[in-house]
Amino acid sequence: MSKVGLVLEGGGMRGMFTAGVVDVLLQNDVQLDGLVGVSAGACFGCNYQSGQVGRGLRYNLTYSKDRRYCSMWSLVRTGDLFGADFCYRKVPLELDPFDMETFDASGVPFWVVCTSVSTGKAVYHQCEKAGEDMLEWIRASASMPMVSRPVEREGDYLLDGGIADPIPLAFFEQCGYERNVVVLTQPRGYVKRQSKMMPLMRRALRTQPAIAQAMEDRPRVYNEEVAYVAAQEQVGVAFVLCPDELLPAHRVEHDPRKLTEAYFAGTRVAERELERLRAWMA
């Protein structure tokens, strides 16, 4: 029987949509064989293996306006817009504990995608055991350029996986997942365009030329991957869950109302498509 994977796009706080989808999958005991998450997809997707329904929404609503969580204060003070110590240590280890025992017992492989600062290429890592090492890999996957310090892992410095491989469907197919549920955080028909800030970004990233080039290439890469997802959906080996319209929550969002709206947009889509998903999986 073919393995069915779960592929989760990033998108910063648009990932609250993903958190909603993941919770519906958990609540309805939808069994998947592996998961690969990019950036916010990794941050919220890991709750699938730990079985913690509602955790993604809960801690984001609780700390969305806490300057230790995400703020210019944190960027100036620590070098990270999303505070590394608070987001990836204090919250998951103390304030809203991540269930590491359940994660380890799940038996569902969990992969994260990062981007190498030295090459601008994607780096894929399987987190075989929950713990601080896994949290650092997730942090690397979600470390946005220019507002985050690169994270050192296994002799390389890493940043946001969405720079190099924003929708890693082809990668997961190569890993043996012949059929995949793909969760996107942009609606159908969305086309990524080159940022007007690219000249300034190149200047800001002059010490990271490979990242600057990857950022310039990103619209093309993203749009090609969206087209690939659509092609795989057309032939029946991908099942796409995405927002019906642009989400109210932006990449960096502090408004609890908009975060909640994005989350429930995810639950609505997942609940609406649940029976069709079960039939496709069967």
Side-chain angles (χ1 to χ4, degrees):
M1 191 171 181
S2 61
K3 293 195 297 183
V4 180
L6 180 60
V7 179
L8 304 178
E9 182 189 4
M13 300 315 295
R14 293 199 311 272
M16 293 306 300
F17 176 88
T18 302
V21 171
V22 167
D23 281 354
V24 171
L25 298 180
L26 283 171
Q27 290 168 323
N28 291 276
D29 196 32
V30 176
Q31 300 291 320
L32 297 158
D33 301 307
L35 184 156
V36 58
V38 180
S39 191
C43 293
F44 300 132
C46 62
N47 294 308
Y48 177 82
Q49 286 93 331
S50 69
Q52 291 175 278
V53 174
R55 180 174 178 270
L57 177 63
R58 183 175 61 243
Y59 75 75
N60 275 285
L61 293 185
T62 302
Y63 302 111
S64 63
K65 294 189 176 183
D66 191 315
R67 66 179 186 175
R68 297 171 296 174
Y69 187 66
C70 176
S71 67
M72 290 303 296
W73 177 88
S74 174
L75 179 61
V76 171
R77 185 180 176 87
T78 71
D80 294 296
L81 184 66
F82 286 86
D85 185 66
F86 189 78
C87 294
Y88 299 99
R89 296 183 189 91
K90 197 164 186 65
V91 171
L93 299 178
E94 299 177 26
L95 300 177
D96 198 327
F98 181 72
D99 189 341
M100 297 189 183
E101 290 186 5
T102 299
F103 178 96
D104 290 344
S106 74
V108 178
F110 174 66
W111 290 78
V112 300
V113 184
C114 307
T115 300
S116 168
V117 172
S118 60
T119 67
K121 303 298 184 183
V123 174
Y124 307 95
H125 177 80
Q126 183 180 355
C127 299
E128 298 181 349
K129 188 175 179 60
E132 292 190 34
D133 181 68
M134 182 188 81
L135 294 173
E136 282 295 283
W137 276 100
I138 294 175
R139 177 165 81 93
S141 180
S143 291
M144 296 184 290
M146 297 184 293
V147 293
S148 307
R149 294 169 297 163
V151 179
E152 185 177 8
R153 293 280 93 189
E154 297 183 352
D156 200 357
Y157 285 92
L158 307 171
L159 284 171
D160 194 322
I163 302 169
D165 192 357
I167 312 170
L169 173 58
F171 163 75
F172 229 34
E173 290 174 337
Q174 292 165 11
C175 290
Y177 296 89
E178 299 172 11
R179 304 168 76 234
N180 290 277
V181 180
V182 182
V183 180
L184 306 178
T185 58
Q186 297 285 13
R188 294 181 186 274
Y190 174 81
V191 175
K192 184 172 287 297
R193 304 192 186 283
Q194 187 63 264
S195 170
K196 295 178 181 178
M197 301 296 289
M198 195 62 225
L200 292 177
M201 292 165 64
R202 266 202 170 275
R203 193 175 308 166
L205 293 167
R206 59 187 176 277
T207 62
Q208 300 173 353
I211 292 294
Q213 185 60 53
M215 289 288 289
E216 189 159 341
D217 294 340
R218 188 165 181 256
R220 173 185 57 78
V221 171
Y222 183 86
N223 294 332
E224 287 175 354
E225 293 195 349
V226 167
Y228 182 72
V229 169
Q232 295 302 81
E233 181 184 33
Q234 186 69 29
V235 297
V237 296
F239 190 100
V240 177
L241 296 169
C242 65
D244 295 322
E245 57 188 8
L246 290 171
L247 294 170
H250 298 292
R251 181 175 291 274
V252 179
E253 183 62 67
H254 298 283
D255 186 340
R257 179 182 59 82
K258 292 181 179 181
L259 295 174
T260 302
E261 286 181 18
Y263 172 84
F264 283 111
T267 63
R268 284 195 302 273
V269 167
E271 288 167 353
R272 184 185 70 208
E273 299 294 332
L274 184 61
E275 292 310 310
R276 194 167 70 88
L277 172 61
R278 288 193 191 280
W280 176 84
M281 291 180 67

